[in-house]
Amino acid sequence: PPKAMTVRQTQRMRAEAGGIGGADFTADAQQALAAIVGPDHVSTTDADRQAYGQDALKEPVLPDVVVWPGSVE
């Protein structure tokens, strides 16, 4: 199955967006990402954030938004 964005990818996206943080980033990012991959592929639920809230180093950091690709193409 397609993988969600990693914590580091989310942090990089936040930095590229001009350092926007907190609720503003989450709302803006969720809308922008939903426009790209579809709203069914974007989540801010606690369960999804916890499931994808660590990278290979096992450092728990909750992502603001979890995104799955709409397709593999």
Side-chain angles (χ1 to χ4, degrees):
K3 296 181 181 178
M5 289 176 63
T6 67
V7 172
R8 301 219 190 287
Q9 289 169 321
T10 302
Q11 291 168 340
R12 184 172 49 245
M13 182 180 171
R14 180 183 298 142
E16 290 171 357
I20 300 168
D24 291 337
F25 171 79
T26 302
D28 292 345
Q30 186 174 5
Q31 291 175 359
L33 294 167
I36 296 168
V37 297
D40 292 340
H41 301 281
V42 179
S43 176
T44 57
T45 67
D46 287 340
D48 286 335
R49 293 173 59 228
Q50 289 174 358
Y52 293 96
Q54 62 184 0
D55 58 16
L57 299 176
K58 304 290 185 198
E59 297 175 9
V61 178
L62 290 181
D64 295 319
V65 179
V66 178
V67 180
W68 300 275
S71 74
V72 295
E73 296 179 14

